[in-house]
Amino acid sequence: MSLQTRLMTAVIGFVSLILVIVAIITSATLGRTLEDQLDEKVSSNAHQLVRVTQAFAPSSATARNILTGPLAPPVGVLFVVSSPVTGYSGAVVESSAGDELTGTLEALTETQMAEVAAALRDSSVATVALTDLGSYRIMALPADNGVLVVTGLPRDDIQSQLTQLLTVIALATIGGLILLALTTAITIRVGLRPLRAVASTATRVANQQLDRGEVSITERVPASEADPRTETGLVGASLNTLLDHVDASLAARQKNEEQMRRFVADASHELRTPLASIRGYSELSLRALRQGGADDAGAIESTTSSLERIQAQSLRMTRLVEDLLLLARLDEGRELIYGTVDLAQLALEGLSDARPTAADHHWGIEVPDEPVTIVGDAGRIHQVIANLLANARTHTPAGTTITLAVTREGEEAVLRVHDDGPGIDPALRDELFARFARGDSSRARQTGGTGLGLAIVKAIVEGHGGDISVASEPGDTTFTVRLPVTPANPSPAAEPED
């Protein structure tokens, strides 16, 4: 059964049980109360009739004589007299009016009086079912003149009232249960509407082709059905949160796949150029040797030149492969060997190495008098400094001033590389640290490169738990590296490979 059916069955069944119990208790309580009231009336009539009977002699003490006297008993009173002289006599008052009896009396048959006598055999008060008369409550009392008086009243009124009560309770119960069923069905249906919205949203999401082309999950549970203040609404809100996370994960996966495809394409392009050169020069050398022979001076010179070019392209390809391998190891959290590093000393060494490579630039350095000591990989941090200086040197014209500064700010060591060159195109800043990123036309690239320098810088800095940022405008470009003095979770040192 559905949840709605189970809830309705449970609620209606439980309420029905309560109503039945209440009806039984109510009818029993009312029946007991009516029985007590009837007993009081029977007792009152019995004592009254005993007083009247005591005025008659035993020879004249019959039911008809007593009931036709000045007494006006109520309709339905049963009266039986047992006289030692006249024997048994009994009657039932059929109707009366005024102070005296004006109706008729119906004499009791022998069978009926025998039924009365049998009911009173063990008790002075009893309930008896009389033939043709129905159920009566009777009481026996002795009179002073030796006459036994039995008085009774019918129980029809009690049974009629109980029947009416049970009928009213049954009708009210049925009507109440019908109303309860309708109300419960509407309430449950409205209450479960957010769950149906969740199921519908989940079905639509399940039917999406998430493995083809661009993926984006736009389906959400409506806000009206995702109120976290209610239990069912909380399910919708949780599903929306889950879909947000899945959508973000799919977007990140797609972005990574696009970056990977672009990375493979860029790497292939970078490798294709030196490989094509190596193939061309090797074919040229082979052709020269075949045409001129091993002793031909021209062939030897051509072959030597080709081999030099092959060596240069091989070195270029080797640097590219090494850079790619370094990035892969850094991505895996390897390749860092931690130790105590004086960042100021590394800055001085890095600037000393960079200055001879660009004598047409102006170089400056700002370091404090005290050492700026951090925990890190000295070789990789030196590579960060060298790459940043090479980037500034390569993408700025002659006469540009490049300044390297090192400071200590709280628990961070800060390294800044500033130049007053033409600046970086704002459109390229978001991809500046991407792999195989190239400088734009505002920075004339004077030497060839793989486009991995800044990507390596970013990977090394983040491997140390730091971050790198850039601020650039014409005449003012600054790369800022922030490194924690002590990394939170130093990565294990990489093991050497064969």
Side-chain angles (χ1 to χ4, degrees):
M1 294 187 294
S2 65
L3 177 60
Q4 179 174 346
T5 303
R6 292 200 301 271
L7 289 175
M8 289 185 61
T9 302
V11 171
I12 295 175
F14 186 68
V15 173
S16 299
L17 178 61
I18 292 176
L19 292 177
V20 169
I21 293 174
V22 170
I24 293 174
I25 294 174
T26 301
S27 59
T29 302
L30 179 61
R32 183 69 265 170
T33 300
L34 294 176
E35 291 285 355
D36 292 342
Q37 293 177 355
L38 183 62
D39 286 345
E40 291 178 0
K41 291 181 181 179
V42 170
S43 176
S44 175
N45 289 332
H47 285 87
Q48 187 177 12
L49 288 172
V50 165
R51 288 194 297 270
V52 174
T53 301
Q54 291 177 160
F56 289 84
S59 58
S60 60
T62 64
R64 178 167 292 277
N65 292 337
I66 296 172
L67 292 176
T68 56
L71 181 66
V75 174
V77 170
L78 178 145
F79 186 61
V80 178
V81 177
S82 175
S83 172
V85 177
T86 59
Y88 285 96
S89 64
V92 175
V93 179
E94 290 187 340
S95 62
S96 65
D99 296 333
E100 294 187 0
L101 182 67
T102 58
T104 59
L105 299 176
E106 180 181 353
L108 297 178
T109 63
E110 293 295 333
T111 300
Q112 292 169 341
M113 286 191 291
E115 292 171 346
V116 171
L120 295 173
R121 184 174 297 130
D122 299 324
S123 175
S124 61
V125 179
T127 299
V128 60
L130 300 178
T131 304
D132 299 330
L133 291 180
S135 179
Y136 270 78
R137 187 69 171 170
I138 58 177
M139 176 182 289
L141 291 176
D144 294 341
N145 56 2
V147 176
L148 181 64
V149 177
V150 177
T151 308
L153 288 173
R155 298 179 66 253
D156 294 342
D157 290 343
I158 295 177
Q159 295 175 349
S160 176
Q161 292 183 41
L162 290 177
T163 300
Q164 292 179 1
L165 174 64
L166 292 176
T167 301
V168 171
I169 291 177
L171 294 176
T173 299
I174 294 173
L177 291 177
I178 293 175
L179 181 61
L180 176 64
L182 294 175
T183 304
T184 304
I186 294 174
T187 302
I188 294 176
R189 188 171 184 82
V190 173
L192 296 181
R193 186 167 56 192
L195 293 183
R196 287 190 290 273
V198 169
S200 177
T201 302
T203 300
R204 293 195 299 271
V205 172
N207 291 331
Q208 285 188 252
Q209 300 295 330
L210 300 180
D211 57 343
R212 299 180 182 177
E214 183 176 355
V215 294
S216 177
I217 302 178
T218 58
E219 297 291 344
R220 294 294 185 274
V221 179
S224 59
E225 309 297 344
D227 188 353
R229 295 174 297 180
T230 64
E231 291 80 358
T232 52
L234 183 60
V235 177
S238 300
L239 179 61
N240 283 346
T241 302
L242 174 62
L243 292 177
D244 289 339
H245 289 326
V246 173
D247 191 30
S249 298
L250 291 175
R253 187 189 70 177
Q254 184 179 11
K255 182 178 179 181
N256 290 336
E257 291 178 351
E258 292 176 352
Q259 290 177 346
M260 182 59 66
R261 287 193 295 268
R262 188 165 56 249
F263 172 78
V264 171
D266 291 338
S268 300
H269 175 75
E270 292 292 336
L271 290 172
R272 183 178 62 181
T273 300
L275 287 174
S277 299
I278 291 173
R279 179 180 179 182
Y281 284 116
S282 63
E283 291 177 352
L284 180 62
S285 300
L286 183 60
R287 186 181 303 112
L289 290 175
R290 286 176 177 176
Q291 291 177 354
D295 298 329
D296 187 275
I300 294 175
E301 181 179 357
S302 176
T303 301
T304 302
S305 176
S306 297
L307 290 176
E308 290 176 352
R309 297 299 302 169
I310 290 174
Q311 183 182 21
Q313 294 300 328
S314 299
L315 292 174
R316 178 183 177 187
M317 189 165 56
T318 300
R319 287 195 299 271
L320 173 62
V321 173
E322 288 178 349
D323 287 344
L324 291 175
L325 180 60
L326 173 61
L327 284 172
R329 289 178 174 177
L330 290 173
D331 289 342
E332 294 175 358
R334 302 168 58 192
E335 199 66 20
L336 296 179
I337 302 175
Y338 285 87
T340 303
V341 178
D342 185 355
L343 190 60
Q345 181 63 34
L346 286 182
L348 289 171
E349 294 175 358
L351 189 67
S352 298
D353 294 339
R355 182 180 285 115
T357 62
D360 54 356
H361 284 64
H362 303 291
W363 300 88
I365 188 167
E366 299 174 0
V367 294
D369 296 333
E370 300 81 10
V372 180
T373 304
I374 64 172
V375 176
D377 188 323
R380 296 307 171 195
I381 295 177
H382 184 276
Q383 187 174 6
V384 168
I385 298 173
N387 285 5
L388 289 176
L389 292 176
N391 180 74
R393 178 199 69 217
T394 302
H395 299 289
T396 56
T400 300
T401 300
I402 301 175
T403 304
L404 177 61
V406 176
T407 58
R408 171 76 177 267
E409 297 179 2
E411 295 299 318
E412 291 181 333
V414 182
L415 174 72
R416 292 184 175 88
V417 177
H418 175 269
D419 68 73
D420 55 3
I424 303 172
D425 186 354
L428 298 177
R429 291 181 189 174
D430 293 338
E431 299 180 358
L432 195 61
F433 297 99
R435 297 171 186 184
F436 297 107
R438 299 290 190 182
D440 65 341
S441 58
S442 65
R443 284 179 178 257
R445 190 160 62 106
Q446 298 171 353
T447 61
T450 61
L452 297 176
L454 292 181
I456 292 175
V457 169
K458 185 174 186 295
I460 294 174
V461 171
E462 291 181 348
H464 283 79
D467 65 83
I468 182 171
S469 60
V470 60
S472 180
E473 59 183 26
D476 185 9
T477 298
T478 303
F479 286 83
T480 303
V481 175
R482 296 182 178 273
L483 296 171
V485 174
T486 302
N489 295 304
S491 303
E495 298 181 356
E497 298 182 355
D498 294 337

